[in-house]
Amino acid sequence: MSYEHPLAYLIGIEGAALLRAFTGEHDREFVEARLAEIRALLADEDLAHGVEVTQLDPRDGYARWAAAYDSGENAAFADEPHLAAILDAIPPGRALDAACGTGRLTRLLVERGHHVVAVDGSPEMLSHAKADSTLVADLHELPVDDGSQDLVLCGLALSHVPDLTPVIAEFARVLAPGGHLVLSDVHPEQVQRGSIPSVRTVDGAPARVRTNHHRVGDYLRAFFAADLAPVSCQEPKPASTTPRHVPGGGPWDLWPWSLNGLVPDALAAAAKDVPAMLIWHCRKTG
């Protein structure tokens, strides 16, 4: 169980902006405006109450999310053009879509002529996927033979595993020599700022899918340990940082994005040049 308070988020954004001012990016007027805004936020009775939030295991969380996963707007799906560009340069072959979810990336593989096995830990998510073969499986124990895959693709999943090393090692196990590993996930900077999936429990209580903060160096150490050589690392920025205005910050389901409209200047300063996604392309050397 965690405790989410709107002021904790908003003052955190103000603090990030003030730290950038402290290191020379903004002037006295900006600092004084931020301090005045913090005082006003603290005095706002609409922001006085927090919410107890259940932390769900990823399998349970995605089971709850499966029916609505492909509906609405998900900024994390902005990884698709970057992944498509990488996949365009990889010849068709045997491909594994690991943690395929509803199959949004399986489609990219099928369109490029790959023979695809799609696996996911959530039967509810997997029921929406379309591939040559679909299997319920954990990323720590993939149901394919050693060296049997030319390509492993994994999108928006690794922030949900507590330790990257065994999962990356499992990806390397199933790759043929010279095979490709292509990964995408929400950037750790965004995870730290609250970019964590929200769902409701069976009882309707607020819940988040348990998410971990993996640094770029954590990925590199896992790659090197598994004889995977990085080919490229992309850190694309958000298409837009303009916050949506929601009076009073909106209901919990829209946090933290609905809160951003309360502090647009602080958000612009705090979010400047902060990447949205982390996208890797590696090749197996061993």
Side-chain angles (χ1 to χ4, degrees):
M1 187 75 71
S2 62
Y3 181 65
E4 297 184 11
H5 198 293
L7 286 175
Y9 176 79
L10 291 165
I11 294 174
I13 294 296
E14 296 280 5
L18 284 166
L19 283 174
R20 298 186 77 153
F22 193 82
T23 55
E25 294 188 31
H26 300 281
D27 59 15
R28 178 174 181 169
E29 181 181 359
F30 176 88
V31 172
E32 290 180 346
R34 300 284 66 72
L35 295 175
E37 193 165 58
I38 290 171
R39 296 186 190 100
L41 291 169
L42 291 170
D44 189 338
E45 293 186 0
D46 289 338
L47 303 173
H49 302 288
V51 178
E52 296 281 356
V53 180
T54 300
Q55 297 295 305
L56 290 180
D57 175 88
R59 182 170 296 189
D60 295 335
Y62 279 94
R64 298 291 304 160
W65 197 7
Y69 187 76
D70 290 323
S71 63
E73 183 179 336
N74 189 335
F77 290 177
D79 63 349
E80 292 189 22
H82 304 279
L83 295 174
I86 295 172
L87 295 175
D88 283 344
I90 298 175
R94 302 158 298 171
L96 176 72
D97 187 355
C100 68
T102 58
R104 69 181 183 93
L105 299 183
T106 301
R107 172 182 53 81
L108 297 182
L109 295 170
V110 171
E111 289 173 351
R112 287 159 178 78
H114 294 278
H115 180 80
V116 183
V117 175
V119 303
D120 198 272
S122 168
E124 293 83 0
M125 294 285 281
L126 196 61
S127 66
H128 297 272
K130 294 180 180 179
D132 301 304
S133 176
T134 58
L135 299 166
V136 178
D138 188 273
L139 293 181
H140 294 81
E141 193 173 354
L142 297 171
V144 293
D145 293 336
D146 294 4
S148 63
Q149 304 300 307
D150 301 303
L151 167 65
V152 173
L153 175 64
C154 183
L156 303 183
L158 293 187
S159 61
H160 296 308
V161 303
D163 183 1
L164 291 174
T165 301
V167 175
I168 297 295
E170 182 68 353
F171 291 163
R173 176 188 71 78
V174 306
L175 277 173
H180 301 263
L181 174 63
V182 181
L183 306 175
S184 77
D185 218 321
V186 176
H187 199 280
E189 291 270 5
Q190 298 294 346
V191 172
Q192 235 180 4
R193 293 163 185 260
S195 184
I196 299 172
S198 62
V199 294
R200 290 278 182 176
T201 66
V202 175
D203 298 329
R208 300 276 185 190
V209 181
R210 189 174 295 116
T211 303
N212 304 278
H213 177 251
H214 301 307
R215 296 173 177 82
V216 171
D218 296 328
Y219 284 91
L220 287 171
R221 285 181 284 273
F223 294 151
F224 295 147
D227 293 326
L228 292 164
V231 175
S232 66
C233 175
Q234 300 177 50
E235 297 178 282
K237 297 172 186 175
S240 172
T241 57
T242 303
R244 292 176 291 178
H245 177 69
V246 180
W252 170 83
D253 302 74
L254 299 180
W255 292 2
W257 319 122
S258 62
L259 299 171
N260 288 335
L262 300 175
V263 290
D265 292 338
L267 177 70
K272 181 183 177 184
D273 297 328
V274 175
M277 306 294 299
L278 184 59
I279 298 171
W280 291 99
H281 176 199
C282 300
R283 298 198 72 174
K284 186 176 179 180
T285 59

